[in-house]
């Protein structure tokens, strides 16, 4: 009897689901069009393409993002579709794509100066007027794919579409972006390989969720970037690490000898830590499976540098390491708010390095 009731309840739920879908499902009418860039810019400047109240302000993007978008168009790369919506007065609301359209308008007015371009670096410092004439014409004639919602699309639906477009995807983090963009770089390939090292993985003890987001690759990238270039860090960790991988992974400089050097020092460092340091040395107090980046950088990079200076003959007791991680100064230097300052990065790395050298039992 219970089995029959379950079948009835399940049927009722399915019917309710069908009714709700039918009641709320919107029949959205739209056209797919290709608008030249010049046409988009003109209609935006003439206030025919308008920003609705639910949209963000124009030019939220910083100069780097704007220049990167222009570079993509100049390279002929495909870009995501724009969403506009027809209105009763003939204007078109910009449902999604305001930053791209306003960037184009900004560039065509010569208010945007291209800089820090990744591929077309010969154009650094260029405004629109500085482009060769044929490139100005080509850019103006470039068509972007646009979905135009019909004017009977309700405001509620337009707002809901805006929210879904802008919140449905999980933004790729720095490590995920680098993992994709630098995939052909031999140093990046080595970093990906070393992130699978069993000793390293046991020590950092990352959760599956963290590994899915490439946190293991991020830690290995930071290990090398700070071990070699921390004194040259200026600001913005993401660009610093990416530039390190690009420079050191350059095909002309990346030799078999250099790859072996990287492999050896990575494995030597983490094998040394496993053998000589307390268990869970990278973890923050009693927060199991939590390896703060600043703590990892201080211990891993500081140890690597100390091993280099002693030619691998560093000798330290676990008791000394326990004293190190209990030290108030160490705790101060490895808190999360100490991450992006050159002075603080140097302090935490050098504090560990100097502590190890002072307490080296070979002295």
């Amino acid at each position: 009897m219970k089995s029959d009731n379950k079948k009835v309840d399940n049927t009722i739920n399915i019917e309710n689901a069908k009714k709700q879908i039918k009641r709320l499902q919107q029949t959205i009418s739209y056209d797919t069009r290709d608008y030249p860039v010049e046409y988009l810019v003109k209609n935006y400047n003439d206030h025919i393409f308008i920003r609705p109240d639910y949209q963000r302000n124009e030019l939220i993007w910083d100069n780097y993002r704007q220049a990167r978008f222009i570079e993509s168009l100049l390279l002929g790369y495909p870009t995501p579709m724009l969403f506009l919506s027809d209105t009763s007065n003939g204007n078109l609301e910009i449902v999604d794509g305001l930053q791209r359209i306003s960037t184009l308008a900004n560039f065509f007015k010569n208010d945007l100066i291209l800089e820090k371009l990744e591929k077309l670096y010969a154009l650094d410092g260029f405004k629109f007027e500085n482009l060769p004439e044929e490139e100005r014409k080509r850019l103006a004639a470039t068509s972007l794919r646009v979905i135009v919602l019909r004017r009977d699309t309700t405001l509620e639906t337009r707002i809901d579409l805006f929210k879904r477009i802008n919140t449905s995807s999980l933004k790729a983090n720095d490590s995920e972006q680098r993992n994709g963009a630098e995939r052909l770089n031999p140093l990046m390939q080595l970093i990906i390989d070393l992130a699978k090292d069993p000793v390293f993985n046991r020590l950092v003890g990352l959760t599956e969720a963290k590994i899915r987001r490439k946190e293991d690759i991020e830690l290995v990238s930071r290990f090398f970037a700070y071990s070699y270039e921390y004194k040259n860090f200026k600001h913005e960790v993401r660009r610093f690490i990416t530039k390190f991988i690009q420079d050191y992974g350059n095909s002309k400089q990346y030799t078999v000898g250099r790859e072996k050097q990287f492999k050896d020092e990575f494995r030597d460092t983490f094998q040394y830590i496993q053998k000589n340091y307390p268990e869970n040395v990278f973890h923050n107090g009693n927060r199991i499976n939590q390896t703060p980046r600043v703590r990892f950088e201080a211990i891993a990079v500081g140890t690597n540098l100390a091993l280099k200076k002693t030619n691998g003959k560093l000798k330290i007791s676990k008791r000394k390491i326990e004293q190190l991680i209990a030290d108030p100064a160490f705790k101060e230097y490895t808190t999360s708010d100490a991450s992006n300052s050159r002075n603080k990065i140097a302090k935490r790395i050098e504090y560990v390095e100097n502590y190890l050298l002072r307490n080296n039992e070979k002295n």
Side-chain angles (χ1 to χ4, degrees):
M1 188 71 177
K2 284 184 179 178
S3 177
D4 290 339
N5 285 339
K6 283 184 178 179
K7 286 181 180 178
V8 172
D9 289 341
N10 191 42
T11 303
I12 292 172
N13 288 338
I14 291 173
E15 289 304 316
N16 284 343
K18 288 180 178 179
K19 289 176 182 177
Q20 188 178 49
I21 290 170
K22 187 175 181 179
R23 179 167 52 87
L24 295 178
Q25 195 171 49
Q26 297 285 338
T27 303
I28 301 178
S29 299
Y30 62 87
D31 294 329
T32 302
R33 307 175 188 176
D34 292 305
Y35 284 159
V37 164
E38 189 172 43
Y39 179 80
L40 288 166
V41 170
K42 182 181 185 306
N43 281 277
Y44 176 75
N45 289 335
D46 291 345
H47 306 291
I48 294 172
F49 294 171
I50 58 174
R51 176 182 71 84
D53 291 338
Y54 55 81
Q55 258 282 16
R56 299 182 289 179
N57 289 329
E58 293 90 341
L59 295 179
I60 295 293
W61 279 359
D62 57 18
N63 197 87
Y64 173 76
R65 289 178 182 273
Q66 292 183 63
R68 186 176 174 84
F69 175 62
I70 298 297
E71 183 184 33
S72 295
L73 293 179
L74 291 171
L75 288 168
Y77 289 175
T79 60
M81 285 192 294
L82 304 168
F83 283 78
L84 307 180
S85 182
D86 198 358
T87 63
S88 57
N89 62 10
N91 289 336
L92 294 181
E93 284 186 354
I94 304 172
V95 178
D96 185 66
L98 179 61
Q99 300 308 311
R100 284 167 281 165
I101 295 173
S102 58
T103 291
L104 288 167
N106 199 33
F107 188 54
F108 274 56
K109 287 190 298 183
N110 294 305
D111 287 343
L112 171 62
I113 300 175
L114 302 179
E115 59 182 12
K116 298 179 180 177
L117 299 180
E118 294 183 11
K119 292 188 177 294
L120 299 176
Y121 46 81
L123 300 184
D124 279 356
F126 275 46
K127 297 180 180 180
F128 177 72
E129 64 186 4
N130 303 128
L131 292 176
E133 182 181 3
E134 63 271 21
E135 293 302 329
R136 293 200 304 271
K137 290 179 179 177
R138 190 171 289 117
L139 179 60
T142 297
S143 289
L144 301 184
R145 182 59 56 93
V146 182
I147 285 183
V148 180
L149 307 176
R150 297 285 178 83
R151 63 175 176 269
D152 57 358
T153 305
T154 66
L155 176 61
E156 181 182 3
T157 300
R158 298 198 301 271
I159 294 174
D160 190 42
L161 179 60
F162 169 78
K163 289 193 297 185
R164 289 172 185 273
I165 290 171
N166 286 280
T167 62
S168 294
S169 61
L170 182 61
K171 185 179 182 296
N173 63 35
D174 295 341
S175 187
E176 289 169 326
Q177 291 179 25
R178 198 180 299 117
N179 179 63
E182 300 299 328
R183 193 71 182 198
L184 299 179
N185 183 303
L187 177 54
M188 187 75 245
Q189 292 171 359
L190 175 64
I191 287 170
I192 293 169
D193 184 53
L194 291 175
K196 301 170 187 173
D197 182 83
V199 175
F200 165 76
N201 277 286
R202 277 197 300 272
L203 287 169
V204 297
L206 297 175
T207 62
E208 285 298 319
K210 287 278 190 180
I211 292 172
R212 283 196 298 272
R213 299 304 309 274
K214 313 292 186 190
E215 180 65 13
D216 50 347
I217 293 172
E218 179 69 16
L219 293 180
V220 179
S221 300
R222 288 172 179 241
F223 171 80
F224 285 116
Y226 287 135
S227 288
Y228 281 83
E229 293 289 342
Y230 80 88
K231 290 182 179 179
N232 293 320
F233 176 82
K234 293 180 181 178
H235 55 80
E236 196 175 348
V237 174
R238 177 180 63 84
R239 291 188 188 179
F240 169 75
I241 294 174
T242 299
K243 187 175 187 305
F244 169 81
I245 292 172
Q246 290 172 341
D247 290 348
Y248 277 71
N250 183 292
S251 58
K252 294 180 181 178
Q253 300 180 35
Y254 193 80
T255 62
V256 173
R258 170 164 278 185
E259 181 173 284
K260 183 179 184 305
Q261 174 189 333
F262 285 155
K263 280 183 181 178
D264 289 347
E265 69 180 84
F266 179 84
R267 288 171 176 156
D268 289 348
T269 297
F270 290 98
Q271 285 172 7
Y272 183 88
I273 291 172
Q274 178 181 244
K275 182 179 178 181
N276 297 283
Y277 291 9
E279 191 177 0
N280 296 330
V281 68
F282 286 121
H283 294 167
N284 190 10
N286 57 10
R287 294 171 68 186
I288 304 301
N289 290 332
Q290 188 79 343
T291 297
R293 290 173 176 179
V294 289
R295 186 182 179 99
F296 172 85
E297 293 157 6
I299 295 172
V301 177
T303 301
N304 183 31
L305 297 179
L307 283 168
K308 285 182 178 181
K309 286 190 175 176
T310 59
N311 294 316
K313 297 178 180 178
L314 181 68
K315 189 173 181 181
I316 197 88
S317 68
K318 287 186 180 180
R319 183 176 59 83
K320 285 294 184 183
I321 299 300
E322 287 169 350
Q323 291 174 354
L324 166 66
I325 60 181
D327 191 315
F330 174 80
K331 291 180 178 179
E332 178 188 345
Y333 296 153
T334 57
T335 53
S336 60
D337 63 349
S339 54
N340 295 338
S341 157
R342 175 166 56 180
N343 182 49
K344 289 181 178 179
I345 287 173
K347 268 187 178 180
R348 64 173 172 264
I349 291 172
E350 292 171 0
Y351 184 79
V352 172
E353 178 192 3
N354 293 333
Y355 178 92
L356 294 173
L357 295 174
R358 282 198 314 272
N359 290 279
N360 183 13
E361 294 178 11
K362 287 284 185 180
N363 286 339

